[in-house]
Amino acid sequence: MRLNYIQQAYKGLHDGWRYIVGIMIVIFFVVAGQIPYTVAAIVEAHRQGLNLFELNESDLMGLLESNLNLALMLLSFAVALVGIFLVNKFLHKMTITQLTTSRSKIDWKRFWVIFFAWGIISSGLVLLDYFASPEHYVFNFDLNKFLILSVIAIALVPLQTSCEEYFFRGYLMQGIGVVTKNRWLPLIVTSVIFGLLHIANPEVDQLGYGIMVYYIGTGLFLGIMTLMDEGLELALGFHAANNLFTALLVTADWTAFQTYSILKDTSDPTRAGFGDVFMPVFVMFPLILFILSKVYKWKNWKEKLFGNIQEPPKEDYKIIDE
């Protein structure tokens, strides 16, 4: 019997306390990964004669040179990703493949198909808005700075998005699933936590708490994708494309990613409304799920999203001695 994605956790050590300890270890790696950024910010603030603790978020974002700021910010996610993999291997005795998919090996074709598909679509939507409302943008292209940005983004953005996917749709999804023995609770919990962790983003200050609908809705979208497809490949590809193409194509003074992108959005951020927040969650994401369901022949939606998780017979998974 082929085990579903959440049931992959039964192939390793899956006691509830291990997930609590694992989360604490991952948090330690997150904090450790932020040390280089913190040190660089302290040094730069001292050089400018500023008190780091008196700076508001906008000033903090502009304290370091943009490419350096992005690299150090993304570095913390890369360190955290290492922590997730170490916890998975040594605390749970599981492989990266088991954390990634229910398939016998990771399906990279799924990753690349949605990566390029969403990259092209999302870039097209930005360009469409640019040509429809050119007064809201300025041409921000600087070849030398953009080339450096490209190297940083291509190398580190996928690590940032993979960190979030492996932690929320991977580690927590499997952990909560085997502990609670159902699917809907890990889907809801991981989506809400994923959304709430974005509450400190500068976008929330500019657009208001309504944008949390987008963040939590994105978490639900990626979670549904993971449960229906029985693996992280599609979620990894979508998330990587979403952040990478955005970092390279467009930035704004009020976004979390401050980059030397090709375009800069200079419009009033309060103009973001239905099209920017609700359209993706209630129109585009359902449409994407519908298309993927046809491409990958997803069935049994009710069972896969709301069904119970049964511990499989011992002969269907490897028994690990502690």
Side-chain angles (χ1 to χ4, degrees), residues 157-304:
V157 167
L159 297 182
Q160 176 247 327
T161 55
S162 294
C163 172
E164 294 184 359
E165 290 309 307
Y166 272 108
F167 185 67
F168 290 103
R169 262 65 65 179
Y171 189 71
L172 287 185
M173 183 80 80
Q174 287 186 345
I176 297 173
V178 297
V179 170
T180 64
K181 299 292 192 298
N182 66 56
R183 297 165 182 263
W184 67 268
L185 190 59
L187 173 61
I188 298 300
V189 170
T190 57
S191 301
V192 171
I193 295 176
F194 175 77
L196 291 178
L197 286 181
H198 288 79
I199 202 167
N201 282 18
E203 290 92 335
V204 177
D205 287 336
Q206 294 293 333
L207 304 177
Y209 289 106
I211 197 174
M212 297 306 296
V213 172
Y214 172 78
Y215 289 130
I216 295 175
T218 301
L220 281 169
F221 165 68
L222 294 169
I224 292 171
M225 189 185 293
T226 299
L227 290 178
M228 291 304 303
D229 200 53
E230 300 290 4
L232 281 177
E233 294 98 333
L234 292 175
L236 285 167
F238 181 92
H239 202 162
N242 188 71
N243 287 26
L244 178 58
F245 282 83
T246 299
L248 295 176
L249 188 57
V250 65
T251 189
D253 290 333
W254 44 270
T255 60
F257 274 8
Q258 297 287 304
T259 68
Y260 293 115
S261 57
I262 297 174
L263 298 172
K264 184 174 183 178
D265 186 346
T266 59
S267 65
D268 181 357
T270 57
R271 80 184 182 97
F274 179 81
D276 299 88
V277 177
F278 296 99
M279 180 68 79
V281 174
F282 297 108
V283 178
M284 293 191 65
F285 290 170
L287 179 60
I288 292 171
L289 290 174
F290 174 77
I291 294 172
L292 290 174
S293 72
K294 297 303 181 183
V295 172
Y296 295 111
K297 297 179 173 56
W298 293 345
K299 298 178 180 179
N300 303 322
W301 286 72
K302 183 178 179 180
E303 173 62 25
K304 287 192 172 184

Side-chain angles (χ1 to χ4, degrees), residues 24-38:
M24 294 173 64
I25 293 174
V26 172
I27 291 174
F28 170 80
F29 273 82
V30 170
V31 174
Q34 292 175 342
I35 292 175
Y37 186 98
T38 304

Side-chain angles (χ1 to χ4, degrees), residues 81-234:
L81 182 61
V82 172
I84 294 169
F85 287 160
L86 290 176
V87 165
N88 184 66
K89 178 177 176 61
F90 294 105
L91 185 61
H92 296 278
K93 308 295 184 182
M94 290 176 61
T95 66
I96 293 178
T97 299
Q98 291 164 350
L99 184 62
T100 307
T101 185
S102 64
R103 288 166 272 274
S104 59
K105 60 182 180 180
I106 299 173
D107 188 348
W108 288 108
K109 183 179 179 180
R110 274 172 154 82
F111 174 93
W112 290 114
V113 164
I114 197 166
F115 176 86
F116 285 113
W118 182 243
I120 293 170
I121 292 171
S122 60
S123 298
L125 292 173
V126 171
L127 293 176
L128 182 63
D129 189 51
Y130 170 70
F131 288 114
S133 306
E135 69 277 10
H136 293 150
Y137 295 88
V138 295
F139 193 64
N140 193 50
F141 184 71
D142 182 305
L143 179 60
N144 291 333
K145 293 177 179 178
F146 181 79
L147 290 176
I148 296 172
L149 165 65
S150 297
V151 172
I152 294 171
I154 292 172
L156 295 179
V157 167
L159 297 182
Q160 176 247 327
T161 55
S162 294
C163 172
E164 294 184 359
E165 290 309 307
Y166 272 108
F167 185 67
F168 290 103
R169 262 65 65 179
Y171 189 71
L172 287 185
M173 183 80 80
Q174 287 186 345
I176 297 173
V178 297
V179 170
T180 64
K181 299 292 192 298
N182 66 56
R183 297 165 182 263
W184 67 268
L185 190 59
L187 173 61
I188 298 300
V189 170
T190 57
S191 301
V192 171
I193 295 176
F194 175 77
L196 291 178
L197 286 181
H198 288 79
I199 202 167
N201 282 18
E203 290 92 335
V204 177
D205 287 336
Q206 294 293 333
L207 304 177
Y209 289 106
I211 197 174
M212 297 306 296
V213 172
Y214 172 78
Y215 289 130
I216 295 175
T218 301
L220 281 169
F221 165 68
L222 294 169
I224 292 171
M225 189 185 293
T226 299
L227 290 178
M228 291 304 303
D229 200 53
E230 300 290 4
L232 281 177
E233 294 98 333
L234 292 175

